[in-house]
């Protein structure tokens, strides 16, 4: 029954003292948030620390929570700010937007959506996935963040802009460059 | 423009980027992190019931209690500042206030049948308001009575009073008797206390100050003041001696003078001069 309740209602229930609903909320978002942090900071120990900090922040701020936006937007907004704090303390993480504007053609679209159990295709798909992950990690941090917010949290452009504190056009630009680079990386495999 | 198309396709979920990414290894947080975070979440909520109910009513109740105390102090403050500290008991203070007021008032003579209204109610008010001016019988404001020291009511000598204390004028005696009789009629508790005290201060000797007794006292005083008329007993002894000495004419004159001076004094039969 409670599994069908949306995130915002669960958070309100938790705010009002129902501790049990937090487990549901946590299960829904722990994987996406962890991967978001892990793929951005690239170190598991740091990702662990940031992950725990983000959830602690959510727990502490529960009484101030108002469902004015999606819970996932609120959660990743907290995560973004925590990440920014971490980057400021660790200047080796370069958060710059390296704009590239090259046209690319999609080779991924040529791959079958369902490998269907064929060994050659499975190996090929695995190679593409590994390459994609490598390309994601090679993206500039802000473009990578926009892509991860879209993939892991399912946020729209507007919500990505809200979570990262930028305009919608800026968020759109970051995501556009990220998608273009990833497609270029996959095209090179062919 | 092609990038925009790619983005639109990607956002519509039609591209393969999302499908490939979904096949990537799903990194999950370690189990100990899950346990720590969930425990923290449960602790935070379970710690609330002990605090929240206290906060709900403790602060408003404290504020209401403080406000009530301030209001009560504010209402009592004028009285606390104005009232002098008195060591008298309530009864003594009540009696003292009435006696002081009586002393301050003039004592007009009452005509026969005239009614004198004693405003015991005002006396009661003066007791409450302390030194505040009170309305006298004439309707004018009397100055506030000075606070009395806490001393017990002096015990008056009962029925026998010295001659000098019988100087009470006839009119004053009548007034006192009238006032006392009217005050006795009152059923008010405060009035009864006042009446008891008045009866102590004006005992039977004063009440019995009838006109004839007053005249006798006045004649004695005048005789004593002149140094001519002795006391009646002495005077009668002297008349008796004159009679025994055979000075009947002189004894008769003295007896006539005695009777003139003390017309109601009983003369013994042996002294009568025939």
């Amino acid at each position: 029954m409670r599994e069908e309740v949306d995130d915002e209602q669960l958070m309100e229930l938790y705010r009002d003292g129902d501790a049990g609903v937090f487990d549901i909320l946590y299960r829904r978002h722990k994987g996406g948030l962890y991967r978001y942090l892990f793929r951005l900071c690239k170190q598991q120990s740091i990702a662990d620390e940031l992950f725990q900090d983000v959830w602690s922040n959510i727990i502490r701020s529960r009484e101030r929570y108002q469902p004015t936006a999606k819970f996932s937007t609120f959660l990743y907004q907290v995560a973004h700010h925590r990440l920014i704090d971490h980057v400021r303390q660790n200047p080796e993480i370069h958060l710059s937007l390296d704009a590239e504007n090259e046209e690319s053609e999609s080779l991924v679209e040529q791959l079958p959506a369902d490998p269907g159990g064929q060994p050659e295709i499975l190996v090929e798909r695995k190679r593409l996935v590994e390459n994609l992950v490598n390309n994601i990690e090679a993206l500039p941090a802000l473009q990578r963040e926009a892509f991860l917010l879209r993939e892991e949290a399912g946020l729209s452009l507007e919500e990505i802009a809200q979570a990262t504190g930028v305009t919608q056009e800026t968020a759109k630009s970051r995501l556009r460059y990220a998608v273009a680079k990833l497609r270029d990386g996959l095209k090179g495999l062919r | 423009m092609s990038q925009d198309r790619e983005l639109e396709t990607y956002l519509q979920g039609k591209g393969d980027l999302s499908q490939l990414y979904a096949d990537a290894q799903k990194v999950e947080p370690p189990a100990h992190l899950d346990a720590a975070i969930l425990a923290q979440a449960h602790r935070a909520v379970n710690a609330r019931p002990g605090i929240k109910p206290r906060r709900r009513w403790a602060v408003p109740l404290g504020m209401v209690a403080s406000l009530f105390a301030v209001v009560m102090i504010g209402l009592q403050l004028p009285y606390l500042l104005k009232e002098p500290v008195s060591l008298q008991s309530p009864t003594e203070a009540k009696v003292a206030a009435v006696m002081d007021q009586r002393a301050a008032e003039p004592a007009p003579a009452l005509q026969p049948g005239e009614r004198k209204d004693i405003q015991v109610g005002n006396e009661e008010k003066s007791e409450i308001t302390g030194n505040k001016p009170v309305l006298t019988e004439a309707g004018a404001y009397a100055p506030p009575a000075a606070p009395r020291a806490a001393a017990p009511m002096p015990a008056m000598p009962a029925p026998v009073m010295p001659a000098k204390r019988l100087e009470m004028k006839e009119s004053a005696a009548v007034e006192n008797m009238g006032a006392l009789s009217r005050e006795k009629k009152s059923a008010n508790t405060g009035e009864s206390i006042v009446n008891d005290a008045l009866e102590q201060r004006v005992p039977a000797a004063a009440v019995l100050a009838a006109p004839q007794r007053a005249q006798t006292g006045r004649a004695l005083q005048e005789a004593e003041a002149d140094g001519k008329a002795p006391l009646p007993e002495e005077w009668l002894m002297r008349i008796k001696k004159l009679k025994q000495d055979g000075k009947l004419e002189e004894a008769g004159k003295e007896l006539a003078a005695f009777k003139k001076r003390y017309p109601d004094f009983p003369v013994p039969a042996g002294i009568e001069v025939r």
Side-chain angles (χ1 to χ4, degrees):
Chain A
M1 189 73 175
R2 281 181 169 181
E3 298 291 341
E4 299 169 1
V5 180
D6 60 31
D7 293 346
E8 292 73 34
Q9 289 177 315
L10 289 177
M11 188 60 190
E12 285 182 302
L13 289 171
Y14 178 64
R15 177 195 64 193
D16 296 338
D18 188 348
V21 299
F22 185 85
D23 298 8
I24 304 170
L25 207 56
Y26 179 76
R27 275 201 308 271
R28 284 182 187 177
H29 294 280
K30 68 170 187 175
L33 180 66
Y34 187 79
R35 287 187 290 276
Y36 165 80
L37 295 169
F38 177 74
R39 298 201 191 284
L40 279 171
C41 66
K42 301 177 183 176
Q43 291 183 38
Q44 186 176 357
S45 60
I46 296 173
D48 289 356
E49 177 190 343
L50 297 180
F51 181 76
Q52 191 164 8
D53 287 350
V54 169
W55 282 111
S56 297
N57 202 331
I58 296 294
I59 292 167
R60 283 196 302 271
S61 61
R62 66 191 180 280
E63 291 183 346
R64 297 191 301 273
Y65 174 76
Q66 294 296 329
T68 54
K70 283 173 65 178
F71 172 75
S72 54
T73 307
F74 171 59
L75 176 66
Y76 283 90
Q77 193 173 26
V78 172
H80 170 78
H81 287 127
R82 182 65 189 89
L83 194 65
I84 293 294
D85 290 342
H86 175 72
V87 169
R88 284 174 181 163
Q89 295 164 4
N90 301 275
E92 66 272 14
I93 298 176
H94 185 55
L95 290 180
S96 63
L97 184 60
D98 300 325
E100 295 180 12
N101 194 12
E102 296 179 5
E103 292 189 359
S104 62
E105 293 181 5
S106 176
L107 296 177
V108 179
E109 291 171 358
Q110 299 174 6
L111 293 172
D114 185 4
Q118 302 172 27
E120 298 81 7
I121 294 177
L122 281 175
V123 171
E124 178 62 19
R125 187 172 183 86
K126 186 177 179 183
R127 192 171 63 90
L128 285 174
V129 169
E130 288 175 353
N131 185 262
L132 176 63
V133 171
N134 291 333
N135 287 338
I136 290 170
E137 291 179 356
L139 284 173
L142 295 178
Q143 294 176 24
R144 186 164 72 243
E145 182 185 36
F147 180 79
L148 291 172
L149 287 173
R150 174 66 187 174
E151 290 298 327
E152 295 292 352
L155 301 186
S156 66
L157 280 176
E158 183 183 359
E159 290 163 349
I160 292 171
Q162 192 176 349
T164 55
V166 296
T167 64
Q168 190 171 334
E169 282 304 313
T170 301
K172 183 178 180 180
S173 174
R174 289 175 180 173
L175 190 58
R176 183 172 61 231
Y177 283 122
V179 170
K181 285 179 182 176
L182 293 175
R183 283 185 175 278
D184 286 347
L186 292 174
K187 186 172 63 179
L189 292 177
R190 194 178 189 188
Chain B
M1 290 300 290
S2 65
Q3 284 187 346
D4 287 337
R5 278 201 311 273
E6 283 178 356
L7 180 62
E8 289 299 322
T9 305
Y10 169 74
L11 289 174
Q12 290 170 5
K14 294 177 181 175
D16 283 347
L17 273 180
S18 296
Q19 294 174 12
L20 282 175
Y21 184 76
D23 288 344
Q25 184 186 5
K26 295 298 180 186
V27 185
E28 292 288 331
H32 74 272
L33 266 185
D34 292 345
I37 291 167
L38 290 175
Q40 181 185 356
H42 285 250
R43 272 199 312 271
V45 172
N46 292 332
R48 289 170 65 185
I51 299 170
K52 200 170 182 181
R54 182 169 59 87
R55 285 181 182 167
R56 277 180 184 164
W57 58 268
V59 173
L61 181 65
M63 291 176 68
V64 169
S66 302
L67 185 64
F68 179 75
V70 167
V71 168
M72 293 306 293
I73 292 171
L75 289 175
Q76 295 294 327
L77 199 58
Y79 298 103
L80 293 173
L81 293 176
K82 284 180 181 177
E83 258 186 31
V85 177
S86 174
L87 297 175
Q88 290 176 317
S89 68
T91 304
E92 289 173 346
K94 197 178 291 185
V95 171
V98 172
M99 297 304 294
D100 289 340
Q101 186 179 355
R102 287 273 171 88
E105 288 174 359
L110 283 179
Q111 298 299 323
E114 184 182 357
R115 179 176 177 174
K116 180 184 177 186
D117 291 328
I118 296 179
Q119 300 181 1
V120 181
N122 283 346
E123 292 169 0
E124 290 292 319
K125 286 179 185 174
S126 70
E127 172 202 344
I128 295 169
T129 56
N131 285 340
K132 289 182 179 177
V134 295
L135 269 176
T136 61
E137 294 175 47
Y141 277 102
R148 292 169 62 94
M153 186 67 67
M156 300 296 288
V160 180
M161 296 182 71
K164 287 186 178 179
R165 299 204 63 166
L166 294 177
E167 290 178 358
M168 182 180 295
K169 292 183 178 179
E170 185 179 333
S171 58
V174 170
E175 179 195 351
N176 274 337
M177 290 176 67
L180 283 169
S181 62
R182 275 189 296 277
E183 285 171 1
K184 281 181 180 177
K185 291 176 184 174
S186 172
N188 187 293
T189 306
E191 292 173 32
S192 63
I193 294 170
V194 173
N195 290 340
D196 294 343
L198 285 175
E199 283 173 0
Q200 287 180 0
R201 284 189 67 159
V202 188
V207 176
L208 57 79
Q212 290 181 350
R213 291 293 301 267
Q215 281 183 353
T216 305
R218 202 162 48 239
L220 275 171
Q221 282 182 331
E222 288 172 0
E224 287 175 354
D226 295 341
K228 293 176 182 177
L231 293 173
E233 292 81 4
E234 293 176 358
W235 202 346
L236 288 172
M237 289 298 292
R238 196 170 66 187
I239 293 170
K240 188 177 179 181
K241 190 177 181 184
L242 287 171
K243 191 179 175 182
Q244 288 173 351
D245 292 345
K247 299 175 181 177
L248 297 176
E249 188 179 355
E250 193 176 349
K253 288 179 182 176
E254 285 287 332
L255 185 58
F258 177 83
K259 286 185 176 179
K260 186 180 180 182
R261 180 75 70 181
Y262 307 112
D264 295 329
F265 199 91
V267 178
I271 298 179
E272 286 290 346
V273 180
R274 296 190 176 94

